[in-house]
Every structure is written in C-alpha cells, then in structure tokens.
Amino acid sequence: MWYAIIALDHPDSLAKRLAARPPHLARLRELQDAGRLLLAGPFPAIDSEDPGPAGFAGSLIVAEFADLAAAQAWADSDPFVAAGVYRDVSVRPFRKTLP
C-alpha cells in the first residue's frame, strides 16, 4: 500500500538539511529503484521554486510499504530526523486515485 510521509522542518534548519541531503536522497533512490516511490520533494518556505536562503518548510514522500509499521519505521530512520531537520513527521495511508 502507498503511504504519505509528511514532515515539517525545524526553523532555520537549511544548513542541517543540506548536510544530510546525500544520505536522505540515497534512501529515496533505493525506493525508486525498487519501484516503490510515487513522489518525493520538499516544501519551499516561500512561494518560489528555488527559495534560496529561506530554505524549506518540510517534505512530502509517497512510497509503497508492506504496512503502516514499516512505513513509520522507514520514516523514523530518515537522515533528516537524525540530523534534526524534521521537527514533526506523520505517516498516513494513501490511496492514489489520479492520474
């Protein structure tokens, strides 16, 4: 089943986000290579494709896991969690309807 991982960043965490980005992206690429990633990306902190020093407000990841516990465990072990980028992470079942 698909699960939406919705994460919100701590204020002023851009430097931590940039430092932890390579291992974060590596985990996402593993999901993508396994055909289990529907989408992933950050929420810019301002209304801009490239927010520059304003940074990001969080992230959205939609990926396939065996169950909610597996999705939660994966989210809990994200490098952004360990680095102190994310202040809140929620995991919810997601049913893709369109397209």
Side-chain angles (χ1 to χ4, degrees):
M1 180 166 184
W2 294 109
Y3 292 89
I5 300 168
I6 303 141
L8 302 177
D9 287 12
H10 285 282
D12 302 315
S13 61
L14 181 58
K16 291 178 181 179
R17 177 182 269 272
L18 294 175
R21 191 167 187 254
H24 171 78
L25 289 178
R27 293 177 82 234
L28 291 171
R29 285 191 186 101
E30 287 175 11
L31 288 175
Q32 184 178 25
D33 291 347
R36 296 174 43 212
L37 183 66
L38 184 62
L39 63 91
F43 301 125
I46 61 173
D47 188 11
S48 174
E49 180 84 17
D50 179 3
F56 298 92
S59 301
L60 171 64
I61 299 165
V62 180
E64 186 177 35
F65 294 93
D67 54 33
L68 181 59
Q72 185 69 59
W74 188 91
D76 289 345
S77 63
D78 192 295
F80 282 177
V81 171
V85 175
Y86 291 156
R87 67 173 168 83
D88 183 58
V89 178
S90 65
V91 180
R92 299 174 184 258
F94 179 81
R95 190 179 83 184
K96 182 178 184 276
T97 302
L98 294 172

